[in-house]
Amino acid sequence: MFDFVSNKVHDEARQGEALLPAETDINLYKKKFYIESYGCQMNFSDSEIVASILNEKGFGATRNYEEADLVFLNTCSIREKAEQTVRSRLHIFRQQKRIRPGMLIGVLGCMAERLKEKFLEEEKLVDMVVGPDAYRTLPLLIEEAEGGQKAVNVLLSREETYADISPVRIDSNGVTAFVSIMRGCNNMCSFCVVPFTRGRERSRDAYSIIKECEGLFENGFKEVTLLGQNVDSYYWNDEQKDETVTFAMLLEKVALINPLLRVRFSTSHPKDISEEVLQTMKKYHNICKYIHLPVQSGSTRILQLMNRTYTREWYMAKINRIREVMPECGISSDIIAGFCTETEEDHQDTLSLMEFSKYDLSYMFFYSERPGTLAARRYKDDVDEETKRRRLAEIVKLQNQISKTSNENDIGKIFEVLIEGDSKRSEEDWRGRSTQNKVVVFSKSGFDFKKGDYAMVKIESCTGGTLIGKAVGE
Ligand code: SAM
Ligand code: SF4
């Protein structure tokens, strides 16, 4: 199976990335851990929580698994391909364990629950299996595993938000950071395994989120992305103060920390993004004008089978409303090709909806049946591989055209760009992003900018995935 992300490399480029030890970390650790992350941004964010818990207990990070005492894989179950990758990595770590039998291997995250018996008992691939809500018990589980026991905790919680744990941002550009605001998901999209692997939705204490964002800003960060599977259903109730915080209210509170701190969020379910959220975005310059609004399919019939709870027309009206409130807003999407019973006509509906929505970017996937999901239980995965492949290729081709046109339309415009670091191609150029989340590259000459500064950049040319410009002001 192949997954595509058009024109921009985003999460896909980070698959399997290992956390880097902090250069400034002067602590002497008794043991070293290595952690490799897969899947969505939530998982990468969770690895930073795990790192914090392990640091507390005297373990330091390494990027070389050959010197690690503990090797963790933070896993994803969203598509079959992600599971296969993890399995092959585990076999490589197993070989290393033959050379160093004292090394412990652990599986964290979404694969934990479903594959615990297989990994621990049947295939004897790992020493520890730890689910996404059980990271606080890691120190105990490590002790058990060191004592030769099989260490497992895959219990899902209705409360755990790790609110009090400060993630260690040991692999960061120092400018942008992800902040988890909720966990789990209560939606039951029929294709999706997340509600089963990450449990019920719960929102994190609003004040712990604000404190974390304030701390990041004090430490030089200039952008936070508020993370959740469905951020618009964020709802936090402080019984003592008789206060309720909705997502729009949270956005405002974070935006008010400092006008120089940009705020982004992901992901929005189209059914939940409210007028209040749109108006709050419009009101604050530092709330980025960018919405990731996954449509999944352009066919109302397929959307119903997917249990997305909106129709094609309803989604189109939402896009129109976003463009009415914020004409300059960037919009991106997730699209699944070849869901159960999808006909050629349904597929054409997806293509035409993409043309209507004019997404700047899309993450595009084959449908991959996941055991235990509603779709796996109710429907037949009846679109053959070749058809899925062809339809996905058509979707990718169209998205590339739309993205290119969107970038061409930006030529001549001036954008405020937050500088994230050197361009990947040349140290003579800066690389940053516009409020619409587009990557902008421009020459360092003429201005004395540094990483974390805002620059006004006039766009002169583009590629499919990058705007290329020239600084015209601070
Ligand atoms: N909560 C977010 C949402 O509702 O859009 C993201 C969930 S998931 C981590 C990211 C994307 O993976 C989904 O939007 C969907 O397009 C894709 N996905 C989920 N399950 C899939 C499956 N079984 N086969 C193919 N793609 C899938
Ligand atoms: Fe999965 Fe749907 Fe929840 Fe997103 S909203 S995590 S696609 S169930």
Side-chain angles (χ1 to χ4, degrees), residues 144-403:
E144 280 178 17
E146 280 172 342
Q149 295 174 54
K150 298 281 175 212
V152 192
N153 187 350
V154 293
L155 288 178
L156 289 173
S157 155
R158 281 179 179 254
E159 283 96 36
E160 182 62 273
T161 58
Y162 300 110
D164 56 315
I165 295 179
S166 291
V168 271
R169 309 199 187 262
I170 48 184
D171 196 18
S172 145
N173 59 13
V175 178
T176 60
F178 289 91
V179 176
S180 172
I181 64 163
M182 60 206 294
R183 298 180 72 81
C185 183
N186 282 358
N187 293 316
M188 277 286 167
C189 301
S190 64
F191 51 80
C192 185
V193 80
V194 169
F196 305 97
T197 59
R198 301 191 75 96
R200 303 290 293 169
E201 180 184 293
R202 61 227 106 112
S203 296
R204 177 179 167 190
D205 177 327
Y207 292 97
S208 76
I209 297 170
I210 293 158
K211 202 168 139 215
E212 188 175 327
C213 296
E214 283 170 346
L216 285 163
F217 186 69
E218 279 158 20
N219 283 307
F221 285 81
K222 293 287 176 54
E223 183 181 292
V224 289
T225 302
L226 308 179
L227 273 188
Q229 294 298 348
N230 183 14
V231 286
D232 298 277
S233 69
Y234 176 88
Y235 187 89
W236 181 72
N237 195 9
D238 185 348
E239 279 166 14
Q240 280 163 353
K241 286 194 201 150
D242 195 19
E243 185 188 7
T244 294
V245 181
T246 63
F247 181 59
M249 291 155 90
L250 180 72
L251 255 186
E252 179 161 48
K253 285 179 193 295
V254 179
L256 286 170
I257 291 174
N258 194 297
L260 288 177
L261 180 70
R262 270 185 175 182
V263 191
R264 296 187 186 276
F265 55 90
S266 184
T267 298
S268 293
H269 192 300
K271 76 176 165 60
D272 290 319
I273 188 162
S274 63
E275 183 66 25
E276 206 189 346
V277 167
L278 299 184
Q279 295 300 336
T280 310
M281 287 178 76
K282 184 186 161 106
K283 185 170 165 193
Y284 293 96
H285 176 74
N286 59 331
I287 302 182
C288 290
K289 304 298 176 279
Y290 168 67
I291 301 176
H292 184 55
L293 199 70
V295 67
Q296 314 295 359
S297 167
S299 151
T300 296
R301 191 183 69 83
I302 294 293
L303 286 169
Q304 269 165 359
L305 292 181
M306 286 177 163
N307 202 22
R308 288 292 285 184
T309 71
Y310 53 83
T311 61
R312 170 187 174 87
E313 289 70 29
W314 194 93
Y315 182 91
M316 287 160 98
K318 196 56 104 180
I319 294 280
N320 279 340
R321 184 64 193 147
I322 293 170
R323 301 236 186 264
E324 231 168 71
V325 177
M326 294 170 287
E328 78 285 21
C329 192
I331 304 179
S332 61
S333 189
D334 291 349
I335 299 168
I336 298 177
F339 186 67
C340 313
T341 79
E342 187 188 76
T343 62
E344 222 37 55
E345 201 184 332
D346 296 319
H347 171 59
Q348 290 304 323
D349 281 349
T350 296
L351 296 175
S352 66
L353 186 58
M354 289 171 70
E355 302 223 38
F356 174 87
S357 305
K358 297 197 172 57
Y359 300 119
D360 299 296
L361 159 81
S362 286
Y363 299 90
M364 299 158 282
F365 315 100
F366 283 115
Y367 172 58
S368 162
E369 186 179 82
R370 307 313 295 134
T373 55
L374 286 181
R377 282 183 272 148
R378 283 187 194 159
Y379 316 122
K380 204 163 165 249
D381 181 11
D382 57 358
V383 179
D384 62 76
E385 184 92 15
E386 200 187 321
T387 308
K388 281 184 184 173
R389 202 179 276 264
R390 195 246 312 145
R391 288 183 189 162
L392 181 61
E394 287 173 16
I395 289 171
V396 171
K397 188 170 169 216
L398 177 61
Q399 183 56 56
N400 285 341
Q401 283 164 11
I402 298 172
S403 300

Side-chain angles (χ1 to χ4, degrees), residues 33-229:
F33 71 91
Y34 169 92
I35 179 165
E36 210 172 272
S37 310
Y38 292 86
C40 65
Q41 196 51 57
M42 285 295 286
N43 253 10
F44 284 80
S45 189
D46 276 4
S47 291
E48 296 181 338
I49 288 171
V50 169
S52 170
I53 293 168
L54 293 176
N55 274 175
E56 270 294 287
K57 291 290 162 191
F59 295 97
T62 169
R63 226 175 198 181
N64 175 10
Y65 72 84
E66 289 177 359
E67 63 164 20
D69 303 283
L70 299 167
V71 170
F72 289 114
L73 276 182
N74 195 352
T75 61
C76 168
S77 274
I78 205 88
R79 286 169 292 277
E80 201 182 352
K81 184 185 137 202
E83 286 196 0
Q84 285 163 357
T85 311
V86 163
R87 199 173 278 278
S88 62
R89 288 301 285 162
L90 283 176
H91 282 285
I92 290 171
F93 297 145
R94 239 6 257 181
Q95 283 166 14
Q96 177 66 208
K97 195 173 159 93
R98 271 188 214 115
I99 306 168
R100 293 188 301 124
M103 168 184 139
L104 294 176
I105 305 173
V107 160
L108 313 177
C110 292
M111 279 171 83
E113 162 62 30
R114 200 168 73 77
L115 295 173
K116 60 179 189 293
E117 271 102 26
K118 239 178 161 359
F119 283 160
L120 272 175
E121 309 295 340
E122 289 173 32
E123 299 178 25
K124 302 205 184 325
L125 274 175
V126 301
D127 307 288
M128 285 171 275
V129 178
V130 190
D133 287 344
Y135 298 145
R136 280 181 205 271
T137 63
L138 261 168
L140 210 73
L141 294 168
I142 292 167
E143 269 176 38
E144 280 178 17
E146 280 172 342
Q149 295 174 54
K150 298 281 175 212
V152 192
N153 187 350
V154 293
L155 288 178
L156 289 173
S157 155
R158 281 179 179 254
E159 283 96 36
E160 182 62 273
T161 58
Y162 300 110
D164 56 315
I165 295 179
S166 291
V168 271
R169 309 199 187 262
I170 48 184
D171 196 18
S172 145
N173 59 13
V175 178
T176 60
F178 289 91
V179 176
S180 172
I181 64 163
M182 60 206 294
R183 298 180 72 81
C185 183
N186 282 358
N187 293 316
M188 277 286 167
C189 301
S190 64
F191 51 80
C192 185
V193 80
V194 169
F196 305 97
T197 59
R198 301 191 75 96
R200 303 290 293 169
E201 180 184 293
R202 61 227 106 112
S203 296
R204 177 179 167 190
D205 177 327
Y207 292 97
S208 76
I209 297 170
I210 293 158
K211 202 168 139 215
E212 188 175 327
C213 296
E214 283 170 346
L216 285 163
F217 186 69
E218 279 158 20
N219 283 307
F221 285 81
K222 293 287 176 54
E223 183 181 292
V224 289
T225 302
L226 308 179
L227 273 188
Q229 294 298 348

